[in-house]
Amino acid sequence: MTYTYQDSVKLLTSAGKFRISLGLDRISKILTILGNPQDKLDCIHVAGTNGKGSVCAILSAILSTSGKKVGLYTSPHLFKYTERIQINNEQIPDNIFAQYIFEVLNIAEQNSIDLTEFEILTAAMFKYFADNNVDVVVLETGLGGRFDATNVIKKNLCSIITHIDFDHTERLGNTLDKIAYEKAGIIKPNCPCIVFEGREVYHDVADKENAMLTVIAPFVNTENLALKGLHQQENLSLALAAIEMIFPEISQSTIDDGLKQVKHPCRFQYIQDKNLIIDGAHNPNGIAALKQNLDFYYPNEQRRFIFGCLKNKDYKQMINTLFENRDEVLFYHFNHANSCEAKELQAVTNINATELTPNMTINFNDGKLNIICGSLYMISELAENFNIDIF
């Protein structure tokens, strides 16, 4: 039977699959039946609250520029699921994506394994990369680390843990130590780990696993990096430390060329024709970084925000951190079951905001700096509504 990309999307977003259920039992079972493709791959595993997507994008660009065949696995996607699975910046083709998704699903159903959306994607990704004999997989965790489906790998080239903060506290814990412990679950026996913060739990887990722990300082030059933002100094430091540790043969000129090629849409991305910044900041730490960047790069410009958020985020703190009385603020209730309504967002702030409705028009060229932020899940809707060219 021939399946289409639309068939696979319908499956992945169905009520039975589109859920979060952490654990390694189900993913381990399906991968065993598939021949454990993950064991044939060399992975750089990246976890963290903020910055892990940027670190993955930087690593992928440098390694691809050096001539390696690089698999990149990230989440979430902006427009299409195929964005999540790439080889040397080429998304998995629609028909191949559908083929792998339904191969995994059919085997799971035959063996009574009830996989989640992310587990299906992860199993398909491992098999696709193994079948295509990639040299290196840059592997981003989905949620947490210890019980994330990507953590089925037994070893890696190295683990990287970016900055952590409060996010998904209902699943990862309500203290930074608890969250850090979940992230530290990607530290593998006898495999090095690179971190930005020297938390005690990282040292404890690394000692237990006999893993070399490297704590880096963010003192690198970001001049050649295509990604903008003060926070990228941390992410670049982590990525460069990994390259130096694992691939010391890669020259500085190759690294510089790779940095110019880094693509990670909607992370402090400037769209010139609409005087617009799109930023995927979706938690208090990410919003604080966005505010710092806006104040640094655009200190004197009038600002118009389009802000939407999921209900399980600390949107009160996000709003109070980001907005000033002089700002124009539009709250957007986007198409997601957990999206905040405009009245919920308005209830936590004294700033007089307007609800952005589907039929509302915006003059993006009236002299104000426009900023879209708060959730990655709403960006595709807004891009379509306002004809924004992100790629």
Side-chain angles (χ1 to χ4, degrees):
M1 182 174 180
T2 301
Y3 298 101
T4 67
Y5 172 77
Q6 287 71 26
D7 292 331
S8 61
V9 172
K10 185 176 181 180
L11 162 73
L12 292 168
T13 57
S14 64
K17 302 301 178 186
F18 198 70
R19 70 187 198 277
I20 296 174
S21 180
L22 297 178
L24 301 181
D25 288 345
R26 295 179 301 272
I27 187 70
S28 296
K29 288 178 181 177
I30 191 68
L31 287 171
T32 296
I33 298 170
L34 289 170
N36 286 315
Q38 75 281 7
D39 292 345
K40 303 169 186 175
L41 300 167
D42 290 326
C43 301
I44 301 175
H45 204 183
V46 185
T49 305
N50 292 307
K52 58 184 182 292
S54 293
V55 170
C56 288
I58 295 168
L59 287 168
S60 177
I62 293 173
L63 293 171
S64 296
T65 302
S66 75
K68 297 186 185 299
K69 192 173 186 179
V70 183
L72 175 64
Y73 185 55
T74 59
S75 61
H77 59 277
L78 298 175
F79 295 95
K80 293 183 66 177
Y81 273 105
T82 54
E83 297 168 28
R84 302 187 184 208
I85 303 174
Q86 301 184 28
I87 296 178
N88 286 1
N89 299 316
E90 293 291 331
Q91 297 178 23
I92 181 173
D94 286 4
N95 62 321
I96 303 299
F97 177 81
Q99 172 190 321
Y100 275 85
I101 292 299
F102 278 95
E103 178 182 359
V104 170
L105 175 72
N106 291 336
I107 292 174
E109 289 183 342
Q110 291 167 12
N111 291 274
S112 302
I113 307 171
D114 184 19
L115 299 177
T116 67
E117 170 222 30
F118 190 70
E119 289 167 341
I120 295 170
L121 289 164
T122 301
M125 170 272 300
F126 279 131
K127 190 169 192 309
Y128 177 67
F129 287 159
D131 287 348
N132 283 273
N133 299 308
V134 300
D135 298 319
V136 185
V137 175
V138 179
L139 187 63
E140 179 186 356
T141 58
L143 198 161
R146 188 161 61 108
F147 292 123
D148 186 76
T150 61
N151 205 33
V152 74
I153 60 174
K154 299 181 180 66
K155 60 184 180 64
N156 54 40
L157 296 174
C158 90
S159 303
I160 299 175
I161 304 175
T162 68
H163 182 85
I164 67 161
D165 202 358
F166 295 102
D167 203 5
H168 302 290
T169 54
E170 73 281 4
R171 298 181 185 278
L172 303 181
N174 57 4
T175 70
L176 290 180
D177 283 343
K178 289 179 180 178
I179 294 170
Y181 177 72
E182 295 300 322
K183 309 293 185 183
I186 71 167
I187 299 175
K188 294 288 182 282
N190 305 305
C191 299
C193 179
I194 302 170
V195 298
F196 168 66
E197 301 156 319
R199 296 183 178 275
E200 184 176 355
V201 65
Y202 298 156
H203 290 277
D204 290 345
V205 175
D207 287 344
K208 179 182 177 182
E209 301 294 352
N210 193 33
M212 182 180 72
L213 185 72
T214 300
V215 183
I216 59 95
F219 299 132
V220 297
N221 187 345
T222 60
E223 182 178 350
N224 288 321
L225 180 61
L227 303 180
K228 299 305 176 188
L230 301 175
H231 61 291
Q232 294 297 352
Q233 193 170 53
E234 298 176 12
N235 301 326
L236 179 57
S237 297
L238 289 164
L240 292 181
I243 294 294
E244 182 179 353
M245 176 184 293
I246 308 167
F247 304 103
E249 72 279 5
I250 297 179
S251 68
Q252 186 61 50
S253 62
T254 298
I255 291 173
D256 290 341
D257 288 344
L259 295 181
K260 296 172 184 176
Q261 307 302 317
V262 179
K263 295 179 181 178
H264 196 36
C266 302
R267 276 70 175 186
F268 204 67
Q269 179 184 7
Y270 182 67
I271 311 293
Q272 185 171 5
D273 67 329
K274 286 186 166 53
N275 196 27
L276 167 67
I277 288 174
I278 303 181
D279 193 284
H282 56 274
N283 54 43
N285 181 256
I287 289 293
L290 171 59
K291 181 67 162 62
Q292 183 184 36
N293 286 327
L294 290 172
D295 290 346
F296 181 81
Y297 291 103
Y298 305 95
N300 301 316
E301 297 213 30
Q302 285 186 292
R303 300 168 186 172
R304 175 190 292 119
F305 289 93
I306 300 175
F307 182 90
C309 192
L310 295 179
K311 293 180 180 181
N312 62 342
K313 304 294 182 179
D314 188 354
Y315 52 85
K316 180 178 181 179
Q317 183 178 344
M318 293 163 68
I319 287 171
N320 290 335
T321 297
L322 188 59
F323 303 140
E324 301 176 6
N325 287 324
R326 65 188 177 101
D327 297 331
E328 178 184 351
V329 179
L330 302 172
F331 286 141
Y332 183 57
H333 177 45
F334 52 98
N335 184 26
H336 189 288
N338 203 28
S339 171
C340 282
E341 295 184 28
K343 62 183 180 181
E344 295 176 285
L345 300 174
Q346 182 65 73
V348 300
T349 180
N350 293 323
I351 290 177
N352 188 22
T354 302
E355 181 176 4
L356 176 62
T357 56
N359 59 348
M360 188 179 295
T361 59
I362 295 176
N363 181 6
F364 284 93
N365 301 114
D366 63 356
K368 291 186 178 181
L369 177 67
N370 302 281
I371 304 105
I372 292 175
C373 62
S375 177
L376 284 167
Y377 289 107
M378 70 181 184
I379 291 174
S380 61
E381 286 181 36
L382 292 172
E384 183 176 349
N385 290 348
F386 295 110
N387 194 27
I388 300 170
D389 185 7
I390 290 174
F391 295 102

